C-alpha cells in the first residue's frame, strides 16, 4: 500500500497491484535532473557558456555544489585553470539558448553573441553571470576528481544573485514563479504543479491538533 500526495487531502491510502520490472543495464537513468548554464572564463579567453545536467548540491554548511564536465569540453580547461564558475539557472523561455550552449563549442563561436544572452557582473568571481537567468550561483572550486568520462568539480558557493521578483514579501525565495526547466533523457521539461511541501507527510491535520487552554 502506498500513500500518495492526493491521498493526504482525501485521507485515504491507495493500493497498487504488482507491476512487472525489467532488468536494465547500469546507466545514468536518474531523472529528472536540473539543467543549468555554467559561465566560465580564464585570463584573456572570452567568457564561455556550457550547459550541463550533472549538477547538484553536496553540502549545506558551508554551501557547496558539484558539476561534472567532460575533459574534452572547452569549458573544462577554463574551469580547471581559473578555479571559478557561475551556475546560471534558466527558465522555460531560455530553453533554446540552453540547448544551443550544450551542443555548440566555445572554441568556434561566441555563445553570448550567438544566443543574445547578456553577460553581467559577478559579485565574487571573474566569470560573468547571465542576466536573463533568475538565479546565479557564484562558485570557487575546492576539489576536482577524475571519475572516468567526466571530471567532478566540487565548489563552494561564495555569492548568490536572485531576481527581485522572485523574493516574496516574507523574504522567501519563490522559485515556483520562475518557470524553471529540468532535463530527462535527452528532453527538456517545464517544472510542473506543486504537490506538497517539506514535512507535509507528518503534519497534523486541524482535527488532530489539540486545543490548548
Amino acid at each position: 500500500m502506498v500513500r500518495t500526495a492526493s491521498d493526504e487531502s482525501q485521507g485515504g491510502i491507495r493500493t497498487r497491484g504488482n507491476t512487472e520490472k525489467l532488468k536494465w543495464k547500469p546507466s545514468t537513468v536518474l531523472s529528472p535532473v536540473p539543467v543549468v548554464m555554467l559561465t566560465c572564463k580564464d585570463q584573456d579567453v572570452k567568457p564561455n557558456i556550457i550547459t550541463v545536467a550533472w549538477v547538484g548540491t553536496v553540502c549545506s554548511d558551508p554551501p557547496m555544489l558539484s558539476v561534472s564536465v567532460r575533459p574534452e569540453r572547452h569549458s573544462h580547461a577554463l574551469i580547471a585553470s581559473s578555479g571559478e564558475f557561475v551556475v546560471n539557472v534558466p527558465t522555460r523561455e531560455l530553453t533554446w539558448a540552453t540547448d544551443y550552449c550544450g551542443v555548440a563549442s566555445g572554441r568556434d563561436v561566441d555563445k553570448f553573441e550567438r544566443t543574445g544572452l547578456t553577460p553581467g557582473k559577478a559579485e565574487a568571481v571573474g566569470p560573468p553571470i547571465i542576466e536573463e537567468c533568475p538565479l546565479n550561483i557564484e562558485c570557487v572550486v575546492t576539489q576536482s576528481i577524475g571519475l572516468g568520462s567526466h571530471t567532478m568539480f566540487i565548489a563552494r558557493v561564495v555569492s548568490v544573485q536572485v531576481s527581485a521578483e522572485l523574493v516574496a514579501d516574507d523574504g522567501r525565495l519563490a522559485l515556483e514563479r520562475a518557470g524553471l526547466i529540468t532535463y530527462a533523457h535527452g528532453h527538456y521539461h517545464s517544472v510542473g504543479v506543486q504537490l506538497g511541501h517539506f514535512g507535509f507527510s507528518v503534519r497534523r491535520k486541524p482535527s488532530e491538533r489539540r486545543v490548548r487552554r
Side-chain angles (χ1 to χ4, degrees), residues 1-4 6-7 10 12-19:
M1 292 187 296
V2 179
R3 185 182 293 275
T4 68
S6 59
D7 293 329
Q10 299 172 7
I13 296 179
R14 181 176 300 173
T15 301
R16 294 178 179 170
N18 294 329
T19 58

Side-chain angles (χ1 to χ4, degrees), residues 43-212:
Q43 297 180 0
D44 297 330
V45 179
K46 286 186 177 181
N48 191 45
I49 308 171
I50 178 175
T51 298
V52 298
W54 300 163
V55 55
T57 299
V58 295
C59 188
S60 298
D61 186 15
M64 301 182 73
L65 54 75
S66 70
V67 298
S68 292
V69 182
R70 289 181 178 271
E72 59 266 28
R73 300 298 295 269
H74 176 57
S75 293
H76 183 283
L78 302 183
I79 296 172
S81 178
S82 68
E84 298 177 336
F85 58 86
V86 180
V87 175
N88 303 274
V89 180
T91 63
R92 62 173 66 98
E93 290 80 12
L94 299 176
T95 304
W96 183 90
T98 300
D99 183 68
Y100 180 83
C101 290
V103 296
S105 174
R107 295 187 181 95
D108 305 320
V109 297
D110 183 331
K111 296 184 189 179
F112 276 105
E113 180 179 341
R114 191 64 63 89
T115 60
L117 294 172
T118 307
K121 182 174 176 52
E123 297 289 336
V125 297
I129 67 168
I130 298 175
E131 291 282 2
E132 289 79 6
C133 289
L135 183 60
N136 316 99
I137 307 170
E138 303 175 25
C139 302
V140 172
V141 176
T142 62
Q143 187 178 1
S144 61
I145 305 173
L147 300 176
S149 63
H150 288 67
T151 298
M152 175 188 286
F153 295 102
I154 300 175
R156 182 166 181 165
V157 176
V158 293
S159 184
V160 175
Q161 296 192 46
V162 180
S163 295
E165 61 266 24
L166 297 183
V167 180
D169 292 339
D170 60 1
R172 178 180 65 88
L173 179 58
L175 278 178
E176 68 274 8
R177 301 176 182 174
L180 303 181
I181 59 176
T182 63
Y183 184 79
H185 301 290
H187 299 274
Y188 304 96
H189 300 271
S190 178
V191 175
V193 179
Q194 178 179 310
L195 302 177
H197 60 82
F198 179 75
F200 86 101
S201 62
V202 296
R203 182 189 59 192
R204 285 187 177 184
K205 297 178 182 178
S207 60
E208 297 175 340
R209 296 172 186 164
R210 296 181 179 180
V211 177
R212 294 186 179 182

